[in-house]
Amino acid sequence: MPAFSPTLLSVNVNKIATLRNSRGGNEPSVLKAASTALAAGAGGITVHPRPDLRHIWPDDVLALSALCRQQATAEFNIEGNPFAPASARYPGLLALIRASQPTQATLVPDSDAQLTSDHGFDLERDEKTLAPLVASIRDLGVRVSVFVDDQCSTAALIRAKAIGIDRIEIYTGPFAKDYGEGSQAGLLRCADLARRAADAGLGVNAGHDLSQDNLFDLLSAAPAISEVSIGHALFAEALYQGLTQTVESYLTIIKQVQQAN
């Protein structure tokens, strides 16, 4: 088995913004939560701004980008739907990417009707519409990742590489559901996809419903995963453990996987 670098933990701070927005004002502070996570050793921060401004606001994006730039090794990742229209309060994903210059932009086909992201792009179907967006983002010096389902075909991966996509992000919601029910099916699909993506020359990220309970087995089965984005479970666990300790617990899991491999 080839040697892979330790997986980067990117902390998604959307849930802190959701809590803040439920009461108005500035508490809890998205910036303080992100700063605490980075100080505890997280390798990056993820945000997923939406046109409905349910959680992260455009001002948050700019402030968090500046925070990550202050940390020499911290990555900043923006997720979102590149086809969602701009509005008076939401400038559009591409405009936010231009303004904040993130390390990575992760393209996700969600809509305001979705409570959360629940599927990936069909790269064979969406290739022609994605290609010019991918080129525009890469011209800004930003790495491009695209959210895909765990049964993404090899042909789609090859096309993704051909249009300049740097990484895929595996939608791990089905994996987490299967895992919670005692099934290995989702784990096997993710491991197979990660291997095929790496063989196609793509980097591999993963995200959605990952937790301390399932992360070790996922990374052990799919060591090619370069980055995991974790928010909901991490902040739920932090309610009981504290944010610093929770981030450190995730980093311990990642270290254990690396040592085991």
Side-chain angles (χ1 to χ4, degrees):
M1 179 183 294
F4 293 100
S5 299
T7 304
L8 182 142
L9 171 65
S10 187
V11 175
N12 187 320
V13 295
N14 285 357
K15 283 295 181 291
I16 297 297
T18 301
L19 186 58
R20 174 199 63 190
N21 297 353
S22 69
R23 286 290 295 267
N26 296 314
E27 291 295 335
S29 167
V30 173
L31 200 61
K32 186 173 181 179
S35 179
T36 301
L38 292 174
I45 297 297
T46 290
V47 293
H48 188 142
R50 292 168 46 126
D52 60 9
L53 302 182
R54 178 182 297 172
H55 31 63
I56 290 295
W57 297 336
D59 286 350
D60 296 326
V61 173
L62 299 180
L64 290 166
S65 174
L67 173 68
C68 289
R69 282 197 298 272
Q70 293 170 8
Q71 311 284 330
T73 59
E75 295 200 353
F76 185 50
N77 173 45
I78 299 180
E79 300 178 344
N81 186 345
F83 303 115
S87 65
R89 297 180 62 197
Y90 177 75
L93 183 66
L94 195 56
L96 285 173
I97 292 169
R98 289 194 188 100
S100 63
Q101 290 291 300
T103 314
Q104 176 176 268
T106 301
L107 309 184
V108 183
D110 66 339
S111 70
D112 285 358
Q114 292 174 230
L115 183 62
T116 185
S117 305
D118 60 15
H119 66 282
F121 277 105
D122 180 335
L123 293 175
E124 292 180 272
R125 181 194 65 200
D126 300 324
E127 171 193 350
K128 290 183 179 179
T129 53
L130 283 171
L133 284 166
V134 170
S136 295
I137 296 169
R138 291 193 73 197
D139 283 347
L140 297 172
V142 176
R143 185 172 71 227
V144 179
S145 177
V146 175
F147 206 54
V148 300
D149 294 320
D150 62 10
Q151 298 186 64
C152 182
S153 70
T154 299
L157 297 174
I158 293 170
R159 293 309 307 151
K161 181 67 176 179
I163 65 172
I165 291 171
D166 299 292
R167 295 186 182 183
I168 60 163
E169 179 174 333
I170 303 173
Y171 168 48
T172 48
F175 151 72
K177 182 176 184 297
D178 284 352
Y179 190 91
E181 295 172 351
S183 169
Q184 295 290 300
L187 181 65
L188 294 174
R189 291 194 302 270
C190 289
D192 177 64
L193 175 54
R195 178 189 55 77
R196 290 186 289 112
D199 287 346
L202 293 163
V204 184
N205 298 340
H208 211 86
D209 292 338
L210 298 178
S211 69
Q212 291 183 52
D213 290 337
N214 59 34
L215 184 63
F216 181 89
D217 284 351
L218 176 68
L219 296 184
S220 295
I225 293 175
S226 296
E227 175 185 309
V228 287
S229 174
I230 307 178
H232 182 87
L234 189 151
F235 283 107
E237 292 157 347
L239 289 174
Y240 311 106
Q241 300 174 344
L243 181 53
T244 295
Q245 182 179 333
T246 300
V247 171
E248 290 174 347
S249 295
Y250 276 98
L251 295 173
T252 296
I253 292 169
I254 290 170
K255 183 177 180 180
Q256 290 170 341
V257 172
Q258 191 72 10
Q259 290 173 338
N261 288 332

